[in-house]
Amino acid sequence: MVVDYNVVLQIFFAGLVSFVLVFMSIPTILKVSYSKNLFDEPGRRRVHKQKVPTLGGLGIFFGILFTYSVYLDWFDYQAIPYLIPALLIIFSIGIKDDILVTAPIMKLMGQIAAALIIVGLGDLRITDFHGFFGLTPDYFGSLAFSLLFVVFIVNGFNLIDGVDGLAAVTGIVTLLGFSFWFYINGEVILPVLGAIVTGALLAFLYFNVFSRTQKIFMGDTGSLLIGFIVAVFAIRFMEYNVDALAPAHLYTMKSAPAVALAILIVPVIDTIRVFFLRLSRGHSPFAADKTHIHHRMLTLGFSHIQIAVVLAVVNALFILMAYWLRDFGTIRLLILVLVLGLAVFHLPSLGIRYRLRKMKRQKNLRR
């Protein structure tokens, strides 16, 4: 692979500009949050013990939008159709929820509207199932499946944003996983966009995880934005690897949907696991509880940063495995990733059960 240093510098400075913008904007956002009393209050389902500003997503959105717009004009890149209007809708529903609290149905309607813009008007659709049971969707099937996919990924990222750093670190790892494939095949715009979002998230992580006096959460604004952008990357990734386009690429891949699942393993598997766990207990799959993997790991004594790092390492290992087995076959690799993912994500629950049995045995011995 020949390295184009001009492209590398463009990618690097895209991330750097975004990082600086977010890093400079968050202190101002914190001042506004404190002056207007815009905080996330501690509660029964909250893992933090003090009130924390929740408008970090505002800084992330500003850094991404400004840098992306500048790069489109400056380097004459081909824009992703209707991405900015769709992100504006996602930002609107997220910021409203962070400040005033939005009804779940309104958030869902906003997500569907944003997905319709990028999928319907922008024609960013999943048009090929890559040989999955020989199925090929028609236009409306493709439209419906793509809409569901976008909404699922957006909510998956929203659900994992339960401890410091997790959603941001997961966003960085997934974007790097997708961007690397585009880069080695000579594509520029998606690696640049990935660098822009990564730079914004790295700046946010400083305040969210490491700063003691300027702590801030990304709120729904940030998690919804990350989920939406990652969903765009995933669809482009799968469409980029359809058989009709494969001969033009430097590197080919026959199992793109399965590789995409491996890259998205944290939000996808956690959402699926929690959904069926709630159903098995006779609860609504949409009812809020503490069954997510980060809640389980908190119960085992992991700190917030330890949870983010451990799940990032797990995510990276799944990405490496999927890249290595990228021509294994869509169905076989999908089954492997799903089974292995569910097994790995069930380990914290097994750890809790083991600890409870051990405590019960010790209690019985004392009697």
Side-chain angles (χ1 to χ4, degrees):
M1 182 182 69
V2 179
V3 177
D4 187 336
Y5 291 101
N6 182 46
V7 172
V8 171
L9 285 174
Q10 290 179 28
I11 293 171
F12 172 77
F13 280 107
L16 181 62
V17 170
S18 180
F19 177 92
V20 171
L21 287 172
V22 176
F23 196 85
M24 293 176 62
S25 66
I26 285 184
T28 302
I29 293 170
L30 283 167
K31 289 180 181 178
V32 173
S33 298
Y34 280 105
S35 65
K36 300 298 181 182
N37 200 32
L38 301 173
F39 300 107
D40 187 25
E41 300 287 347
R44 187 175 61 86
R45 291 196 65 251
R46 301 289 191 264
V47 296
H48 58 282
K49 304 302 180 184
Q50 67 282 340
K51 57 184 183 180
V52 180
T54 59
L55 297 182
L58 176 59
I60 294 171
F61 176 72
F62 169 70
I64 293 171
L65 187 66
F66 182 87
T67 312
Y68 179 67
S69 300
V70 168
Y71 260 68
L72 287 181
D73 293 334
W74 197 355
F75 293 103
D76 195 27
Y77 287 146
Q78 183 179 359
I80 299 173
Y82 296 96
L83 177 62
I84 292 178
L87 289 179
L88 285 170
I89 292 179
I90 291 292
F91 170 76
S92 299
I93 61 174
I95 202 73
K96 183 177 184 294
D97 190 62
D98 290 334
I99 296 174
L100 299 174
V101 180
T102 306
I105 188 64
M106 295 305 297
K107 287 173 62 177
L108 180 61
M109 294 302 292
Q111 294 167 20
I112 293 173
L116 271 172
I117 288 174
I118 198 79
V119 172
L121 298 178
D123 203 35
L124 186 75
R125 297 179 291 109
I126 299 171
T127 62
D128 193 303
F129 289 160
H130 298 258
F132 190 76
F133 294 121
L135 298 174
T136 302
D138 59 14
Y139 174 79
F140 291 105
S142 169
L143 187 70
F145 186 80
S146 302
L147 287 172
L148 287 172
F149 178 82
V150 172
V151 172
F152 178 82
I153 299 301
V154 168
N155 283 285
F157 269 89
N158 190 222
L159 291 172
I160 65 169
D161 184 29
V163 295
D164 294 342
L166 180 56
V169 170
T170 302
I172 291 170
V173 173
T174 54
L175 289 169
L176 290 176
F178 287 125
S179 296
F180 175 75
W181 184 256
F182 290 111
Y183 173 75
I184 64 175
N185 277 290
E187 292 292 317
V188 178
I189 182 59
L190 285 171
V192 164
L193 178 57
I196 290 170
V197 181
T198 298
L201 293 178
L202 286 172
F204 164 78
L205 276 173
Y206 168 78
F207 296 96
N208 179 236
V209 176
F210 301 106
S211 178
R212 294 185 178 181
T213 59
Q214 295 181 301
K215 190 176 184 62
I216 195 169
F217 294 155
M218 67 168 57
D220 277 13
T221 307
S223 60
L224 295 177
L225 281 170
I226 298 170
F228 192 84
I229 293 171
V230 167
V232 169
F233 269 74
I235 294 176
R236 272 290 182 92
F237 178 80
M238 288 183 280
E239 287 300 293
Y240 188 79
N241 287 287
V242 297
D243 290 340
L245 299 177
H249 301 332
L250 295 173
Y251 302 91
T252 59
M253 179 181 292
K254 294 181 179 178
S255 310
V259 177
L261 172 62
I263 296 173
L264 294 166
I265 195 72
V266 175
V268 170
I269 294 297
D270 186 54
T271 303
I272 291 174
R273 188 187 66 83
V274 169
F275 187 90
F276 285 104
L277 183 62
R278 290 169 182 170
L279 284 178
S280 68
R281 294 176 176 177
H283 301 158
S284 168
F286 305 106
D289 57 22
K290 287 192 173 184
T291 56
H292 291 283
I293 188 168
H294 52 269
H295 292 133
R296 298 295 196 187
M297 294 178 74
L298 281 171
T299 302
L300 288 173
F302 286 85
S303 68
H304 289 217
I305 189 62
Q306 287 173 339
I307 293 171
V309 170
V310 168
L311 291 180
V313 171
V314 169
N315 200 341
L317 291 174
F318 269 88
I319 293 172
L320 291 173
M321 179 192 72
Y323 267 84
W324 182 45
L325 299 173
R326 64 184 181 273
D327 295 324
F328 191 53
T330 299
I331 296 176
R332 283 184 292 179
L333 188 54
L334 271 174
I335 293 172
L336 176 63
V337 172
L338 274 172
V339 172
L340 194 57
L342 288 169
V344 169
F345 276 59
H346 191 58
L347 290 177
S349 296
L350 293 178
I352 292 172
R353 291 178 187 175
Y354 172 78
R355 179 175 292 183
L356 289 173
R357 284 198 296 266
K358 185 177 180 181
M359 291 172 61
K360 189 175 181 180
R361 285 198 300 268
Q362 291 174 345
K363 187 177 180 180
N364 291 333
L365 288 173
R366 295 192 191 103
R367 289 179 175 177

